[in-house]
């Protein structure tokens, strides 16, 4: 009987110890998480409050993004931003997306010294955005150019015929909803599309001639859709210098009087952790850790279909050629 009592006492002691260590472990982890979040938020806020050069990444498919435009406006109002580097690595995207960012950067350049740096690729709408600055830097092997406008559409009429499906339409006018995917494109519809593409193209060429100080005929010659490496682009006056970010910084310092050795801070349009309420920061980080980022904003969520595959309207994008299989 005495042994049973001793065993019961030992079990109670062990249970108390386990409870203590579980609570202690939870408190330590929670404190570390809260401290880490507070440190990250504080460091990020501090870096943007001190004098710095703002780096704006323009990467991947270019679309019109309201948050990006709001961020550019915020940079223009920040006294801590002494210069801006637009860092481009993009094949282009929607023409209106490029137009919106180009316009916002031109306004920003009236308030802050601004330079663009093209990395692996800066073509089409990507190059349009690069022209927002008075100085463009590119690597020797940066792919650039591809100046022009594209409107693509598919037609699956033969496929529908094969599976025995026909499409009918009643229209208010012949050009309504043209082109469609189930019937041949009429000459009138093709002329309408060509006029639209030509109008957008002329707008692009006018910007090229104005921003790069080119004669209209020379600008149109270069705007034939060709792609060039950075060194050739330098010869054609599409870029101003060969190099990387350090070359862009050098121009800001020597030509625009930006103080030397300022830190470079990356600004992004994605929701940053320091902008969230304190409780939301904890929930977001814990959620990410568990793989259940419930508070992740919709525009940051991963989807089954890439946004790059959902471009509407006119596009200014360079499409890398795909090698076809050799057929006899």
């Amino acid at each position: 009987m005495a042994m049973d009592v001793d065993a019961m006492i030992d079990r109670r002691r062990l249970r108390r110890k386990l409870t203590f260590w579980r609570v202690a472990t939870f408190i330590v982890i929670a404190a570390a998480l809260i401290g880490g979040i507070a440190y990250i938020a504080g460091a990020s806020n501090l870096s943007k409050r001190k004098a710095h050069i703002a780096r704006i990444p323009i990467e991947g498919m270019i679309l019109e993004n309201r948050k990006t435009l709001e961020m550019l406006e915020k940079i223009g109002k920040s006294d801590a931003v002494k210069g801006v580097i637009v860092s481009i690595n993009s094949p282009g995207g929607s023409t209106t997306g490029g137009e919106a960012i180009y316009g916002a950067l031109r306004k920003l350049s009236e308030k802050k010294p601004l330079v663009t740096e093209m990395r692996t690729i800066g073509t089409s709408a990507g190059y349009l955005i690069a022209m927002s600055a008075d100085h463009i830097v590119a690597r020797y092997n940066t792919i650039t150019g591809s100046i022009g406008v594209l409107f693509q559409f598919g037609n699956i009429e033969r496929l529908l015929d094969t599976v025995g499906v026909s499409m009918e339409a009643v229209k208010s006018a012949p050009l309504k909803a043209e082109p469609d995917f189930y019937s041949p494109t009429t000459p009138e519809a093709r002329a309408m599309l060509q006029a639209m593409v030509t109008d957008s193209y002329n707008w692009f060429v006018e910007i090229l001639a104005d921003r790069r100080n080119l004669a209209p005929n020379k600008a149109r010659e270069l705007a034939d859709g060709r792609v060039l490496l950075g060194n050739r682009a330098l010869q054609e006056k599409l870029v101003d210098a060969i190099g990387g970010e350090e070359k862009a910084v050098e121009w800001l310092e020597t030509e625009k009087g930006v103080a030397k050795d300022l830190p470079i801070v990356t600004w992004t349009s994605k929701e940053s952790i320091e902008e969230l309420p304190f409780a939301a920061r904890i929930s977001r980080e814990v959620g990410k850790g568990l793989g259940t980022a419930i508070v992740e904003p919709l525009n940051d969520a991963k989807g089954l279909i890439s946004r790059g595959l959902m471009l509407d309207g006119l596009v200014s994008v360079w499409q890398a050629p795909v090698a076809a299989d050799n057929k006899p």
Side-chain angles (χ1 to χ4, degrees), residues 4 6 17 23 36-37 59 86 98 100 106 139 143 171 190-191 202-203 210 242 276 278 283 286 292 299 307 327:
D4 291 341
D6 291 340
K17 289 181 179 180
V23 172
I37 292 173
E59 299 176 332
V86 183
R106 288 297 303 137
R139 296 286 185 184
I143 299 172
K171 302 181 181 183
R190 189 171 293 277
N202 289 337
W203 165 82
D210 177 58
I242 298 298
L276 295 174
F278 184 71
S283 299
V286 172
T292 57
N299 62 338
R307 293 177 69 194
K327 296 181 179 179

Side-chain angles (χ1 to χ4, degrees), residues 13-322:
R13 287 175 179 171
L14 180 60
R15 193 174 297 124
R16 289 194 193 101
K17 289 181 179 180
L18 287 174
T19 301
F20 170 79
W21 285 112
R22 285 172 179 167
V23 172
T25 301
F26 175 79
I27 291 173
V28 170
I29 293 174
L33 181 62
I34 293 171
I37 292 173
Y39 174 79
I40 293 171
S44 179
N45 274 326
L46 186 62
S47 65
K48 288 184 179 178
R49 288 173 184 167
K50 289 185 175 181
H52 67 276
I53 296 172
R55 178 194 294 118
I56 303 172
I58 303 293
E59 299 176 332
M61 196 63 65
I62 293 170
L63 301 171
E64 187 169 359
N65 187 319
R66 186 172 298 167
K67 284 192 173 183
T68 298
L69 302 181
E70 291 172 354
M71 178 194 71
L72 296 178
E73 186 175 353
K74 186 175 180 181
I75 290 174
K77 295 177 180 178
S78 173
D79 293 332
V81 176
K82 304 304 179 183
V84 177
I85 298 174
V86 183
S87 183
I88 298 171
N89 188 23
S90 170
S94 74
T95 308
T96 53
E99 176 188 359
I101 297 175
Y102 169 82
L105 287 172
R106 288 297 303 137
K107 289 181 180 179
L108 179 58
S109 69
E110 296 172 359
K111 301 176 181 179
K112 308 287 182 182
L114 188 147
V115 60
T116 53
E117 171 227 358
M118 297 191 295
R119 304 196 320 269
T120 301
I121 183 170
T123 53
S124 299
Y127 181 71
L128 170 67
I129 290 172
M131 289 192 293
S132 63
D134 294 329
H135 194 76
I136 302 175
V137 177
R139 296 286 185 184
Y140 187 100
N141 289 298
T142 295
I143 299 172
T144 189
S146 189
I147 300 166
V149 180
L150 174 70
F151 189 99
Q152 284 183 317
F153 53 94
N155 188 291
I156 59 171
E157 180 185 18
R158 293 174 61 185
L159 175 62
L160 294 177
D161 289 342
T162 300
V163 298
V165 176
S166 62
M167 297 287 294
E168 300 289 343
V170 177
K171 302 181 181 183
S172 58
L175 291 179
K176 177 62 179 175
E178 287 287 343
D180 58 48
F181 63 90
Y182 54 83
S183 62
T185 305
T186 64
E188 293 78 13
R190 189 171 293 277
M192 172 190 69
L193 296 175
Q194 184 61 61
M196 185 170 61
V197 168
T198 300
D199 189 33
S200 182
Y201 170 74
N202 289 337
W203 165 82
F204 202 157
V205 173
E206 286 176 6
I207 291 176
L208 173 65
D210 177 58
R211 296 298 301 151
R212 300 306 302 168
N213 195 26
L214 297 171
N217 61 334
K218 181 60 177 179
R220 195 164 294 274
E221 175 189 332
L222 293 171
D224 61 356
R226 73 180 74 177
V227 289
L228 310 89
L229 292 182
N231 187 58
R232 180 63 185 278
L234 177 64
Q235 297 172 20
E236 298 290 0
K237 299 182 180 180
L238 294 179
V239 305
D240 300 294
I242 298 298
E245 187 172 79
E246 74 289 343
K247 201 75 174 178
V249 172
E250 179 184 317
W251 182 82
L252 288 174
E253 293 174 347
T254 58
E255 300 296 328
K256 294 298 180 178
V258 174
K260 290 184 179 295
D261 301 322
L262 285 181
I264 300 174
V265 178
T266 299
W267 287 64
T268 67
S269 57
K270 291 183 179 180
E271 185 178 42
S272 57
I273 191 170
E274 68 270 15
E275 294 171 342
L276 295 174
F278 184 71
R281 297 179 198 172
I282 297 176
S283 299
R284 174 169 172 162
E285 294 307 302
V286 172
K288 283 183 176 179
L290 296 175
T292 57
I294 299 173
V295 298
E296 193 76 2
L298 271 177
N299 62 338
D300 286 341
K302 298 296 182 182
L304 293 176
I305 301 176
S306 168
R307 293 177 69 194
L309 298 178
M310 301 173 66
L311 288 173
D312 294 325
L314 296 172
V315 297
S316 295
V317 59
W318 179 63
Q319 299 172 325
V322 179

